Amino acid sequence: MKKYIKDRAIKKIPINNAMWDKSKVLKFKKGKRSNDSQLIEYVDPKNIKVNNYWEDEYDIQIITLDILLKSYNFKKIDFICITINGAEYEALLGCTLIIKKYNPNLYIAANHQDVRPMVNAIPYQEVIIEVLNGYKYDTYVDDKGWIVGEKNPNQKL
């Protein structure tokens, strides 16, 4: 992302953090032939093809979107797009303050059945919709399998 921004002389500052539901360090594996990475706990040990693809392990400091919010003086947050290859659920849990304060519209990748089909025995899409329903969001799944969450302005938490 930094290279993309530099090459195109874009005047935006990338925020280089990994998101989760709490601040901690998580272990990842790096892909052999690309910039892919995968949270180690999501690599299925029974899938030999997948295991042959991943190589080096490394640690990443993870934070929440709410922690990030405290680092910047945002006046308004009206849209959040979350696509983290199976960690969208945790990132969503880590933005409670943002949701309560700003009521942003959300666009969340929830089409990662190959990486993470379930959370606590609930299908991945359903568990994300359940969280958004708890915040009184209207939700639907688009044709790509992404979840759209829109805050009804008449609803209060």
Side-chain angles (χ1 to χ4, degrees):
M1 180 170 66
K2 288 179 184 178
K3 181 177 177 354
Y4 181 89
I5 288 170
K6 181 180 177 188
D7 290 350
R8 287 155 184 82
I10 296 171
K11 293 184 169 100
K12 301 282 183 189
I13 300 169
I15 300 170
N16 190 17
N17 285 104
M19 299 296 141
W20 201 251
D21 63 341
K22 58 183 136 293
S23 182
K24 63 193 275 184
V25 174
L26 292 175
K27 291 196 174 296
F28 282 77
K29 283 193 178 271
K30 180 177 177 247
K32 290 181 182 177
R33 294 177 300 276
S34 73
N35 291 326
D36 281 351
S37 64
Q38 182 67 55
L39 183 61
I40 286 178
E41 68 185 78
Y42 295 160
V43 176
D44 185 349
K46 298 173 190 164
N47 190 336
I48 293 169
K49 183 178 176 186
V50 168
N51 286 334
N52 286 337
Y53 176 74
W54 303 107
E55 52 183 20
D56 299 333
E57 278 186 24
Y58 56 97
D59 293 340
I60 293 182
Q61 176 63 48
I62 307 293
I63 66 169
T64 69
L65 284 166
D66 285 342
I67 290 171
L68 187 65
L69 173 68
K70 292 175 185 176
S71 301
Y72 294 87
N73 189 21
F74 295 117
K75 292 179 180 24
K76 180 179 178 182
I77 299 173
D78 55 13
F79 182 79
I80 296 175
C81 177
I82 304 174
T83 175
I84 319 175
N85 296 336
E88 294 81 6
Y89 172 70
E90 284 79 9
L92 182 59
L93 295 179
C95 64
T96 302
L97 296 175
I98 291 172
I99 289 173
K100 287 180 178 178
K101 182 174 181 178
Y102 298 102
N103 297 314
N105 289 322
L106 299 160
Y107 192 48
I108 303 172
N111 55 349
H112 300 297
Q113 289 78 10
D114 56 331
V115 176
R116 190 173 189 194
M118 309 281 255
V119 174
N120 301 325
I122 301 170
Y124 196 61
Q125 284 183 343
E126 288 180 31
V127 78
I128 292 172
I129 289 170
E130 199 174 275
V131 171
L132 293 176
N133 288 342
Y135 288 114
K136 310 279 192 247
Y137 271 76
D138 295 329
T139 59
Y140 67 90
V141 179
D142 73 6
D143 59 348
K144 296 176 185 169
W146 286 51
I147 296 169
V148 177
E150 297 173 330
K151 187 65 174 187
N152 181 333
N154 300 321
Q155 292 277 358
K156 299 291 179 200
L157 280 177

